[in-house]
Short mmCIF file of all heavy atoms in Angstrom, two decimals:
data_model
loop_
_atom_site.label_atom_id
_atom_site.label_comp_id
_atom_site.label_asym_id
_atom_site.label_seq_id
_atom_site.Cartn_x
_atom_site.Cartn_y
_atom_site.Cartn_z
N LEU I 1 -153.56 158.31 -39.03
CA LEU I 1 -152.25 158.63 -38.50
C LEU I 1 -152.17 160.07 -37.99
O LEU I 1 -151.52 160.35 -36.99
CB LEU I 1 -151.18 158.40 -39.58
CG LEU I 1 -151.01 156.97 -40.10
CD1 LEU I 1 -150.02 156.94 -41.24
CD2 LEU I 1 -150.58 156.04 -38.98
N LYS I 2 -152.85 160.97 -38.69
CA LYS I 2 -152.80 162.38 -38.28
C LYS I 2 -153.45 162.60 -36.93
O LYS I 2 -153.07 163.53 -36.20
CB LYS I 2 -153.44 163.27 -39.35
CG LYS I 2 -154.94 163.04 -39.54
CD LYS I 2 -155.48 163.96 -40.62
CE LYS I 2 -156.99 163.76 -40.83
NZ LYS I 2 -157.51 164.64 -41.90
N THR I 3 -154.43 161.77 -36.57
CA THR I 3 -155.04 161.89 -35.26
C THR I 3 -154.03 161.59 -34.17
O THR I 3 -154.05 162.18 -33.09
CB THR I 3 -156.24 160.92 -35.14
OG1 THR I 3 -157.18 161.23 -36.17
CG2 THR I 3 -156.93 161.07 -33.78
N LEU I 4 -153.11 160.66 -34.46
CA LEU I 4 -152.07 160.29 -33.50
C LEU I 4 -150.80 161.12 -33.63
O LEU I 4 -149.93 161.04 -32.76
CB LEU I 4 -151.71 158.81 -33.70
CG LEU I 4 -152.85 157.80 -33.62
CD1 LEU I 4 -152.34 156.42 -34.00
CD2 LEU I 4 -153.47 157.79 -32.22
N GLY I 5 -150.71 161.90 -34.70
CA GLY I 5 -149.47 162.63 -34.94
C GLY I 5 -148.32 161.68 -35.26
O GLY I 5 -147.16 161.95 -34.95
N LEU I 6 -148.65 160.55 -35.91
CA LEU I 6 -147.66 159.51 -36.18
C LEU I 6 -147.19 159.56 -37.63
O LEU I 6 -147.99 159.56 -38.56
CB LEU I 6 -148.28 158.14 -35.88
CG LEU I 6 -147.41 156.91 -36.18
CD1 LEU I 6 -146.12 156.94 -35.39
CD2 LEU I 6 -148.20 155.63 -35.89
N LYS I 7 -145.87 159.62 -37.79
CA LYS I 7 -145.24 159.57 -39.11
C LYS I 7 -144.20 158.46 -39.08
O LYS I 7 -143.07 158.68 -38.64
CB LYS I 7 -144.61 160.90 -39.47
CG LYS I 7 -145.60 162.06 -39.58
CD LYS I 7 -144.91 163.35 -39.93
CE LYS I 7 -145.89 164.50 -40.03
NZ LYS I 7 -145.22 165.80 -40.34
N ALA I 8 -144.59 157.27 -39.50
CA ALA I 8 -143.71 156.12 -39.45
C ALA I 8 -143.01 155.92 -40.79
O ALA I 8 -143.63 156.01 -41.84
CB ALA I 8 -144.49 154.87 -39.07
N THR I 9 -141.72 155.62 -40.74
CA THR I 9 -140.94 155.36 -41.95
C THR I 9 -140.34 153.96 -41.85
O THR I 9 -140.19 153.40 -40.76
CB THR I 9 -139.82 156.40 -42.12
OG1 THR I 9 -138.98 156.36 -40.94
CG2 THR I 9 -140.39 157.79 -42.26
N ASP I 10 -139.98 153.40 -43.00
CA ASP I 10 -139.39 152.07 -43.02
C ASP I 10 -138.15 152.01 -42.14
O ASP I 10 -137.26 152.86 -42.24
CB ASP I 10 -139.02 151.68 -44.45
CG ASP I 10 -140.24 151.48 -45.34
OD1 ASP I 10 -141.35 151.46 -44.79
OD2 ASP I 10 -140.08 151.35 -46.56
N GLY I 11 -138.09 151.03 -41.29
CA GLY I 11 -136.93 150.84 -40.43
C GLY I 11 -136.96 151.65 -39.15
O GLY I 11 -136.07 151.49 -38.30
N GLN I 12 -137.94 152.53 -38.99
CA GLN I 12 -138.01 153.38 -37.80
C GLN I 12 -138.30 152.55 -36.57
O GLN I 12 -139.14 151.68 -36.56
CB GLN I 12 -139.09 154.43 -37.97
CG GLN I 12 -139.24 155.36 -36.76
CD GLN I 12 -140.38 156.36 -36.95
OE1 GLN I 12 -140.81 156.63 -38.07
NE2 GLN I 12 -140.87 156.91 -35.86
N ARG I 13 -137.57 152.85 -35.49
CA ARG I 13 -137.80 152.20 -34.20
C ARG I 13 -138.54 153.16 -33.28
O ARG I 13 -138.28 154.37 -33.30
CB ARG I 13 -136.46 151.78 -33.58
CG ARG I 13 -135.72 150.72 -34.37
CD ARG I 13 -134.30 150.53 -33.86
NE ARG I 13 -134.30 149.99 -32.50
CZ ARG I 13 -134.34 148.70 -32.21
NH1 ARG I 13 -134.41 147.79 -33.20
NH2 ARG I 13 -134.29 148.28 -30.97
N MET I 14 -139.44 152.63 -32.48
CA MET I 14 -140.18 153.46 -31.56
C MET I 14 -140.65 152.64 -30.38
O MET I 14 -140.75 151.40 -30.45
CB MET I 14 -141.39 154.12 -32.26
CG MET I 14 -142.42 153.14 -32.79
SD MET I 14 -143.76 153.93 -33.72
CE MET I 14 -144.58 154.80 -32.40
N LYS I 15 -140.94 153.30 -29.27
CA LYS I 15 -141.48 152.64 -28.09
C LYS I 15 -142.99 152.47 -28.28
O LYS I 15 -143.67 153.37 -28.78
CB LYS I 15 -141.20 153.46 -26.85
CG LYS I 15 -139.74 153.75 -26.60
CD LYS I 15 -139.04 152.58 -25.93
CE LYS I 15 -139.39 152.49 -24.45
NZ LYS I 15 -138.60 151.48 -23.75
N ALA I 16 -143.51 151.33 -27.83
CA ALA I 16 -144.93 151.06 -27.97
C ALA I 16 -145.33 149.90 -27.07
O ALA I 16 -144.48 149.15 -26.59
CB ALA I 16 -145.29 150.75 -29.42
N ASP I 17 -146.61 149.79 -26.83
CA ASP I 17 -147.13 148.65 -26.10
C ASP I 17 -148.57 148.43 -26.53
O ASP I 17 -149.26 149.36 -26.95
CB ASP I 17 -147.07 148.87 -24.58
CG ASP I 17 -146.91 147.57 -23.81
OD1 ASP I 17 -146.99 146.48 -24.42
OD2 ASP I 17 -146.71 147.63 -22.58
N ILE I 18 -149.02 147.19 -26.46
CA ILE I 18 -150.38 146.84 -26.83
C ILE I 18 -150.92 145.87 -25.80
O ILE I 18 -150.19 144.99 -25.33
CB ILE I 18 -150.41 146.24 -28.26
CG1 ILE I 18 -151.85 145.97 -28.70
CG2 ILE I 18 -149.55 145.00 -28.35
CD1 ILE I 18 -151.96 145.57 -30.17
N GLY I 19 -152.19 146.05 -25.42
CA GLY I 19 -152.74 145.20 -24.39
C GLY I 19 -154.25 145.21 -24.35
O GLY I 19 -154.91 145.77 -25.25
N ILE I 20 -154.77 144.62 -23.31
CA ILE I 20 -156.22 144.58 -23.10
C ILE I 20 -156.56 144.88 -21.65
O ILE I 20 -155.75 144.69 -20.75
CB ILE I 20 -156.83 143.21 -23.47
CG1 ILE I 20 -156.25 142.11 -22.57
CG2 ILE I 20 -156.62 142.89 -24.94
CD1 ILE I 20 -157.02 140.81 -22.62
N LEU I 21 -157.77 145.35 -21.46
CA LEU I 21 -158.36 145.47 -20.14
C LEU I 21 -159.48 144.45 -20.05
O LEU I 21 -160.25 144.30 -21.00
CB LEU I 21 -158.92 146.87 -19.90
CG LEU I 21 -157.97 148.05 -20.12
CD1 LEU I 21 -158.70 149.35 -19.83
CD2 LEU I 21 -156.73 147.92 -19.27
N ARG I 22 -159.59 143.78 -18.94
CA ARG I 22 -160.69 142.84 -18.72
C ARG I 22 -161.56 143.35 -17.58
O ARG I 22 -161.08 144.00 -16.64
CB ARG I 22 -160.17 141.44 -18.39
CG ARG I 22 -159.48 140.76 -19.56
CD ARG I 22 -159.07 139.35 -19.24
NE ARG I 22 -157.97 139.30 -18.30
CZ ARG I 22 -157.96 138.58 -17.18
NH1 ARG I 22 -159.03 137.87 -16.85
NH2 ARG I 22 -156.91 138.56 -16.39
N GLY I 23 -162.84 143.06 -17.66
CA GLY I 23 -163.75 143.52 -16.62
C GLY I 23 -165.05 142.75 -16.64
O GLY I 23 -165.23 141.81 -17.40
N ASN I 24 -165.97 143.22 -15.80
CA ASN I 24 -167.27 142.56 -15.69
C ASN I 24 -168.39 143.40 -16.29
O ASN I 24 -169.56 143.11 -16.07
CB ASN I 24 -167.57 142.23 -14.23
CG ASN I 24 -167.56 143.47 -13.33
OD1 ASN I 24 -167.63 144.60 -13.83
ND2 ASN I 24 -167.43 143.26 -12.04
N GLY I 25 -168.02 144.43 -17.01
CA GLY I 25 -169.01 145.29 -17.63
C GLY I 25 -169.23 146.59 -16.89
O GLY I 25 -169.74 147.56 -17.47
N THR I 26 -168.84 146.63 -15.63
CA THR I 26 -168.98 147.86 -14.85
C THR I 26 -167.69 148.29 -14.19
O THR I 26 -167.53 149.45 -13.81
CB THR I 26 -170.05 147.69 -13.75
OG1 THR I 26 -169.69 146.61 -12.89
CG2 THR I 26 -171.42 147.43 -14.36
N GLU I 27 -166.75 147.36 -14.03
CA GLU I 27 -165.45 147.71 -13.47
C GLU I 27 -164.36 146.89 -14.14
O GLU I 27 -164.59 145.79 -14.64
CB GLU I 27 -165.44 147.49 -11.95
CG GLU I 27 -165.61 146.05 -11.53
CD GLU I 27 -165.55 145.87 -10.03
OE1 GLU I 27 -165.10 146.81 -9.34
OE2 GLU I 27 -165.96 144.81 -9.54
N THR I 28 -163.16 147.47 -14.16
CA THR I 28 -162.01 146.80 -14.75
C THR I 28 -161.33 145.94 -13.68
O THR I 28 -161.03 146.43 -12.58
CB THR I 28 -161.01 147.82 -15.31
OG1 THR I 28 -161.70 148.62 -16.28
CG2 THR I 28 -159.84 147.13 -15.99
N THR I 29 -161.08 144.69 -14.02
CA THR I 29 -160.55 143.76 -13.03
C THR I 29 -159.14 143.30 -13.32
O THR I 29 -158.47 142.72 -12.43
CB THR I 29 -161.46 142.53 -12.91
OG1 THR I 29 -161.57 141.90 -14.20
CG2 THR I 29 -162.85 142.93 -12.42
N ALA I 30 -158.63 143.49 -14.54
CA ALA I 30 -157.28 143.05 -14.87
C ALA I 30 -156.76 143.81 -16.08
O ALA I 30 -157.53 144.23 -16.95
CB ALA I 30 -157.25 141.55 -15.14
N ARG I 31 -155.43 143.94 -16.16
CA ARG I 31 -154.76 144.60 -17.28
C ARG I 31 -153.61 143.71 -17.74
O ARG I 31 -152.82 143.26 -16.92
CB ARG I 31 -154.22 145.97 -16.86
CG ARG I 31 -155.28 146.94 -16.34
CD ARG I 31 -154.68 148.30 -16.00
NE ARG I 31 -153.78 148.23 -14.86
CZ ARG I 31 -152.76 149.07 -14.64
NH1 ARG I 31 -152.51 150.02 -15.52
NH2 ARG I 31 -152.01 148.95 -13.57
#
């Protein structure tokens, strides 16, 4: 958490997103 500077508490709301990148091993083709 310290690497991210994140201090989360119960009930805390925050903006966030999670995803993936797809590719062929040398270039990214989709997000």
Side-chain angles (χ1 to χ4, degrees):
L1 296 175
K2 65 180 180 181
T3 302
L4 303 174
L6 177 59
K7 297 179 180 179
T9 58
D10 292 350
Q12 180 183 339
R13 295 170 65 87
M14 62 185 292
K15 302 279 284 187
D17 209 353
I18 184 172
I20 62 166
L21 306 180
R22 292 185 289 128
N24 58 18
T26 59
E27 64 179 345
T28 302
T29 57
R31 301 182 293 154

